[in-house]
Amino acid sequence: MPTQAHHVTVVGIGADGWDGLGEPARAAVAAADVVIGAPRQLDLLPPIDGQERQGWPSPLRAGLPALLDGLTGRRVVALASGDPLLSGVGGTLIELLGASRVSVIPAVSSVTLARAALGWPAESVAVIRAGDVHAVLRELAPGRRVLVLSADETTPAGLAALLVEHGYGASRMTVLGDLGGQAESRLESTAASYPAFQGQVPRLNIVAVELDGPLPAGWTAGLPDDAYDHDGQLTKRDLRACALARLAPAPGQLLWDVGAGAGSVGIEWMRAHPSCRAIAVEADQTRAQRISGNARKLGVPALRVVNGRAPAALADLPAPDAVFIGGGLSRPGLLAACLTALGSGGRLVAHGVTLETETQLAAAYREHGGELSRIQVEHAEPLGTFTGWKPARAVTQWALTVSA
């Protein structure tokens, strides 16, 4: 957090540059001692005598405090593309400084311009923020409309390749470049034929996709076990659905998936809503790497993976809204650390398969209350020329909602 008092005015600017700014935005820029922005955005402004222009630090979030501390007492304007609060730097500055020290003068966002160009109502479209295009995989469903905010001119090609890889090569892609500017462009293709447009995409672009392919998975908890790459350390489908029903994913909330194995509980927590967050804690390095791969494949690349042994690995993590303990329950202090981390209304679900962990969960139930269940699932399998039931290992589940 910057140590000095600051106030920053964030001005949204489109591809039409200075000409497209309203009078309040122009006045703010003209009065600024310092204007911060990307080189492309700064080049859109006319020269202003005595005004300093600076680029954004890299990495952005880590470099902002020092940058702002160096500008104390000066009038600062930050430039953002379109709507600064739509996956923009405006949100980052508000998180850092607080809403009272950031003023926002928005322009029309690229998402709004794209929907207008395509005739797509807002409620019919999912928006994928700039970053890892694997996030689009959460949205895969026939007929689904998606707008992808590109990081640069390479994003559409990476998106097309990903769609083809997952059976969505027939999806219609419309690449809209420099929306609102004089160089506005439009390229249309299927994902499968997109390579024909290589080299024709401007750096500033947004990709509209009409998805066309099979339904690989829904958003309800309990994806098939074979959706995950795993070595056997996986919370199985029925138990996963049972655990997530009690963990109760909610928008914006954070889950710790402790002893994550293949990462399935954290991944399905994040698939429940685009703003759900999760941290998977896994001691085994190979499994930790596998979790990251599963998260990308299932459309939640933002899942954070911590390769470390709990409870020590939990010490510096942000406080959770819910905790799932899928492994390592017998480690001294683990259950107590997770309970301590949860605030009022927090949810904890722990699974045990041994007599020792079952005894531990029974003791926790006696002390804290909650819900204690023993779950066994049987699946029909061939039995000679007939069909019989094959039981899976029974699992003891303890679920608790922390009271005030």
Side-chain angles (χ1 to χ4, degrees):
M1 174 76 69
T3 57
Q4 305 293 329
H6 299 280
H7 189 278
V8 177
T9 299
V10 188
V11 172
I13 189 168
D16 50 357
W18 183 257
D19 292 341
L21 294 180
E23 188 55 38
R26 287 191 178 193
V29 173
D33 298 314
V34 182
V35 177
I36 311 169
R40 171 185 58 80
Q41 296 165 336
L42 295 172
D43 288 344
L44 296 172
L45 303 182
I48 297 176
D49 288 342
Q51 187 176 83
E52 182 182 339
R53 307 270 170 90
Q54 289 196 27
W56 293 109
S58 180
L60 177 65
R61 183 62 185 255
L64 271 176
L67 173 63
L68 295 174
D69 277 343
L71 300 176
T72 300
R74 306 176 74 183
R75 290 169 295 185
V76 179
V77 162
L79 299 180
S81 294
D83 183 350
L85 297 179
L86 180 63
S87 189
V89 73
T92 303
L93 287 167
I94 288 172
E95 288 179 18
L96 194 63
L97 299 175
S100 64
R101 290 193 280 171
V102 179
S103 300
V104 178
I105 305 175
V108 177
S109 72
S110 59
V111 169
T112 299
L113 291 170
R115 288 193 292 100
L118 298 163
W120 288 3
E123 63 272 14
S124 72
V125 183
V127 178
I128 304 297
R129 277 38 175 173
D132 193 332
V133 293
H134 284 82
V136 80
L137 299 180
R138 177 185 177 273
E139 306 296 332
L140 292 185
R144 181 79 162 149
R145 290 172 169 174
V146 179
L147 289 172
V148 179
L149 303 176
S150 292
D152 54 35
E153 67 276 13
T154 67
T155 300
L159 175 61
L162 191 65
L163 291 171
V164 170
E165 178 186 346
H166 287 267
Y168 274 71
S171 300
R172 297 293 308 175
M173 291 178 58
T174 304
V175 183
L176 300 163
D178 294 312
L179 280 170
Q182 293 183 348
E184 186 172 310
S185 62
R186 178 171 179 154
L187 298 172
E188 297 185 6
S189 170
T190 63
S193 60
Y194 179 81
F197 289 119
Q198 293 282 39
Q200 301 181 42
V201 179
R203 185 172 183 81
L204 182 62
N205 71 85
I206 184 170
V207 188
V209 186
E210 295 177 272
L211 291 168
D212 187 351
L215 179 64
W219 292 343
T220 301
L223 297 181
D225 292 343
D226 60 11
Y228 297 93
D229 181 20
H230 64 91
D231 60 1
Q233 292 299 309
L234 172 74
T235 300
K236 300 300 191 293
R237 182 179 197 173
D238 299 289
L239 292 165
R240 193 185 324 131
C242 186
L244 281 158
R246 288 158 176 79
L247 290 167
Q253 293 201 333
L254 172 66
L255 171 78
W256 288 357
D257 183 0
V258 182
S264 61
V265 172
I267 287 169
E268 294 189 27
W269 168 279
M270 290 185 68
R271 283 176 61 86
H273 191 273
S275 67
C276 284
R277 299 167 295 134
I279 301 173
V281 180
E282 173 53 53
D284 184 272
Q285 185 175 9
T286 300
R287 288 175 185 158
Q289 293 171 345
R290 190 179 288 123
I291 291 169
S292 294
N294 283 330
R296 286 192 299 273
K297 182 175 67 172
L298 289 166
V300 289
L303 180 141
R304 177 182 170 190
V305 181
V306 173
N307 181 203
R309 189 173 297 277
L314 308 177
D316 297 323
L317 300 185
D321 299 287
V323 177
F324 175 70
I325 306 175
L329 188 61
S330 60
R331 292 177 196 151
L334 174 57
L335 184 57
C338 292
L339 286 170
T340 300
L342 287 168
S344 177
R347 290 86 67 199
L348 183 141
V349 173
H351 284 180
V353 295
T354 66
L355 287 174
E356 290 78 9
T357 53
E358 185 176 82
T359 299
Q360 187 178 358
L361 293 178
Y365 171 67
R366 286 194 299 272
E367 180 178 357
H368 300 284
E371 178 186 5
L372 189 66
S373 307
R374 196 159 188 263
I375 306 166
Q376 185 167 10
V377 179
E378 300 184 5
H379 294 281
E381 292 190 3
L383 184 62
T385 58
F386 298 94
T387 303
W389 294 106
K390 182 177 181 180
R393 188 184 298 274
V395 173
T396 299
Q397 179 187 84
W398 179 51
L400 175 74
T401 298
V402 178
S403 58

